[in-house]
Amino acid sequence: MQNFDTILTLPSVFLDRNVLSPHFVPDVLPYREKEIEKIMLAVAPALEDQRPKNLFIYGKTGTGKTCTVKRVMAEFRKKTIFPQDVYVNCRMYNSRYRVMQKIGKTFISELDKVGFGISHFYEKLLEYIQVPYENGNQKRIIVVLDEIDMVKDLDELVYTLTRMNDEISSGSISMIGITNKISFKEVLDPRSKSSLCESEIVFSPYNSIQLREILAQRVKLGFVEGTVHDSAINLAAAIAAQETGDARYALKLLLKAGEIADEKKSFLITDREVEEARKNVDNTLVGEIIKTLPKHQQLVLIAICNLYNNIGHYQRLGQEENLEENRLLSGEVYEEYCKICRKFKRIPRSARWYREYLNELEMLGLITTVESSKGLRGHSRFIKPGYEPQQMLQILLESQQKSESETKVIYDSDL
DNA sequence: CCTCCACAGGAAGCGCAGGAGT
DNA sequence: ACTCCTGCGCTTCCTGTGGAGG
């Protein structure tokens, strides 16, 4: 008889899976000493009753931005008697209103209700900050805005917060903005930019040696000793470094590899488990991207995969050259896309917009396109799927069918 | 050489949804 | 509840590009 006790006592390579979660904050952050110091430098004035500088942090995903900031703020909290900082994930609090609400209710319990206008939060916060703590220290509020690029009306938010600083006679409020969009700074209003970016830190991607050490550290904490081969760690680090230097991805690989080892009951993580994990992780990643794609981008992708799989395609056209290269011309793909649209009972978008879709898909890495330099026509693009077309097609058709049943459209199956 | 072809991508404008202001 | 405004997804129109073919 299976019960929870037998499940829970199953042997496993894991000591503590939490250690491998992207939200885990380790005590020591390898190769981020300089960044930690810079953040501390920016925050430190708060401990001396001075206004901390605003700080802007950017770097690609998995470079430890959030982790480092959380680490520093944890240290900061040890030094303060009263709560002085808020962590706001802007993915959840994605407007000026929501951010202000979150800040407000963190410090003022009576604001923990809905229905107040933004000016109400503003006034209450002003009042709150201006009254010093019982020990006579002024209030030095630090707001950490993670994924700050998700805030729709960021310029207004930054403006509101900076104006707050100007209006109060004592105390202060500072911001730490975190984003992974490098180009993000450019779309910012110049005024917001100058106030938000008083000081800046760039987090560079990890290389394979650094990733290796990070992984080794987590392995020590998260896995049973002796279950993970050194070469497996190296491989996971190398794969992640080759991609983008994303530590989160590297950790995901290890987590999945561990699960595979448990499933196989081999309880040993070698290169092979990591390789398998890689396929698995990539697939689910691509699957996630595809599933969240807008309908028509999915349809374009179906058209591409469909044509790519259709071996006879270029033979019928008699274009042996393209058959060998197995590349598709953008015009043909558009025609196929229109056909697919008819089959799914949807009105095709214009060719102009279809080109825009192609660009989107390329940005996401789902397809690759090459400018046709020679051969056919002026400039046109050759299109290739970025991943296994068969696998993509499967995911695509699944998610199309799902959305069809949701919208109660009858599925035309003569595809 | 000119024109046509098949495409890329910019500019303008349109209809709609949702938020702000009244 | 009502307008007004704005951003978004999209279409239409247009200009530019470079080889093919007359």
Side-chain angles (χ1 to χ4, degrees):
Chain A
M1 167 64 188
Q2 290 273 21
N3 61 38
F4 280 114
D5 289 333
T6 58
I7 295 284
L8 288 172
T9 52
L10 276 179
S12 164
V13 294
F14 293 111
L15 267 180
D16 182 2
R17 297 168 64 108
N18 284 334
V19 172
L20 302 169
S21 137
H23 305 295
F24 178 78
V25 182
D27 290 333
V28 183
L29 290 159
Y31 302 105
R32 286 294 176 246
E33 295 84 7
K34 245 188 265 166
E35 286 79 2
I36 289 177
E37 200 185 315
K38 277 189 196 164
I39 299 171
M40 280 184 162
L41 226 56
V43 171
L47 300 172
E48 297 169 325
D49 214 11
Q50 304 285 316
R51 192 182 94 80
K53 273 192 195 169
N54 286 337
L55 183 60
F56 186 65
I57 296 173
Y58 59 101
K60 288 186 180 171
T61 44
T63 49
K65 301 181 294 296
T66 305
C67 215
T68 309
V69 171
K70 277 187 173 170
R71 189 76 268 260
V72 172
M73 294 320 281
E75 289 299 318
F76 175 73
R77 232 164 279 150
K78 283 184 200 163
K79 292 278 178 191
T80 54
I81 311 153
F82 307 100
Q84 290 195 30
D85 64 295
V86 222
Y87 173 84
V88 185
N89 186 335
C90 300
R91 194 179 282 275
M92 249 120 62
Y93 302 90
N94 60 354
S95 67
R96 176 175 68 147
Y97 182 84
R98 286 183 189 158
V99 172
M100 290 300 284
Q101 187 187 31
K102 167 82 178 167
I103 299 170
K105 76 182 182 192
T106 306
F107 296 107
I108 308 161
S109 52
E110 65 184 89
L111 291 181
D112 195 6
K113 297 177 198 151
V114 285
F116 294 119
I118 195 139
S119 50
H120 188 78
F121 291 120
Y122 187 82
E123 296 298 330
K124 283 286 168 189
L125 263 174
L126 271 185
E127 270 175 45
Y128 171 80
I129 295 173
Q130 297 210 50
V131 180
Y133 291 116
E134 286 117 64
N135 65 2
N137 277 359
Q138 294 187 15
K139 284 177 178 141
R140 304 292 176 189
I141 307 297
I142 297 173
V143 185
V144 178
L145 299 164
D146 201 355
E147 300 197 64
I148 195 169
D149 48 293
M150 301 296 279
V151 179
K152 283 177 285 187
D153 44 1
L154 183 63
D155 284 324
E156 280 84 353
L157 175 66
V158 173
Y159 177 70
T160 307
L161 289 174
T162 43
R163 206 185 62 178
M164 221 164 184
N165 261 325
D166 298 340
E167 270 186 43
I168 45 185
S169 48
S170 71
S172 66
I173 185 160
S174 324
M175 296 168 264
I176 298 179
I178 306 174
T179 180
N180 51 26
K181 295 220 172 88
I182 311 286
S183 59
F184 166 74
K185 224 176 88 180
E186 268 70 69
V187 299
L188 223 53
D189 187 278
R191 277 178 316 177
S192 323
K193 197 159 83 178
S194 67
S195 50
L196 180 59
C197 310
E198 275 179 358
S199 50
E200 285 178 40
I201 303 176
V202 182
F203 278 59
S204 49
Y206 297 109
N207 62 33
S208 67
I209 297 160
Q210 294 169 334
L211 280 172
R212 215 206 78 85
E213 188 164 330
I214 292 165
L215 290 182
Q217 176 204 37
R218 302 287 179 106
V219 164
K220 217 180 256 176
L221 295 170
F223 287 91
V224 176
E225 208 182 332
T227 54
V228 187
H229 277 190
D230 273 357
S231 67
I233 299 177
N234 287 341
L235 181 61
I239 292 171
Q242 199 184 7
E243 297 279 320
T244 47
D246 184 347
R248 214 182 290 181
Y249 179 74
L251 288 169
K252 221 178 220 172
L253 280 181
L254 273 190
L255 181 66
K256 193 70 212 173
E259 282 170 6
I260 291 169
D262 275 2
E263 239 167 70
K264 285 204 273 192
K265 305 210 185 300
S266 68
F267 308 115
L268 208 59
I269 298 163
T270 65
D271 289 12
R272 185 189 308 211
E273 277 72 31
V274 174
E275 280 293 352
E276 276 177 49
R278 178 200 198 157
K279 274 186 206 142
N280 201 303
V281 170
D282 282 355
N283 267 347
T284 55
L285 243 48
V286 172
E288 277 316 298
I289 296 172
I290 289 179
K291 274 179 211 155
T292 56
L293 235 42
K295 289 275 125 40
H296 280 272
Q297 291 189 26
Q298 291 190 0
L299 290 168
V300 171
L301 206 53
I302 290 177
I304 292 166
C305 294
N306 231 8
L307 280 182
Y308 202 77
N309 279 334
N310 195 344
I311 305 159
H313 174 67
Y314 281 117
Q315 284 168 344
R316 278 201 306 277
L317 287 172
Q319 294 172 9
E320 295 299 326
E321 184 196 341
N322 284 343
L323 172 67
E324 262 172 53
E325 288 286 323
N326 229 348
R327 52 200 184 179
L328 308 165
L329 276 163
S330 116
E332 302 164 356
V333 173
Y334 183 66
E335 274 172 38
E336 177 72 12
Y337 157 73
C338 291
K339 261 191 229 162
I340 302 275
C341 278
R342 277 198 290 281
K343 279 176 185 160
F344 283 95
K345 301 246 156 64
R346 288 181 191 280
I347 304 156
R349 299 279 182 260
S350 69
R352 179 68 189 86
W353 204 245
Y354 149 81
R355 273 172 239 139
E356 223 54 45
Y357 285 157
L358 282 187
N359 292 339
E360 286 274 322
L361 291 173
E362 188 176 21
M363 287 254 292
L364 292 167
L366 293 170
I367 59 169
T368 55
T369 70
V370 185
E371 280 276 304
S372 83
S373 47
K374 55 169 189 189
L376 287 126
R377 295 166 197 99
H379 58 105
S380 175
R381 283 191 293 189
F382 293 127
I383 302 160
K384 270 177 136 174
Y387 299 88
E388 261 305 301
Q390 276 296 341
Q391 282 171 9
M392 286 207 284
L393 210 51
Q394 203 181 330
I395 300 164
L396 282 163
L397 293 177
E398 259 170 45
S399 81
Q400 279 291 331
Q401 272 175 11
K402 206 201 280 172
S403 65
E404 300 249 330
S405 59
E406 273 162 18
T407 51
K408 304 264 183 280
V409 179
I410 301 131
Y411 175 55
D412 188 0
S413 63
D414 69 331
L415 188 63

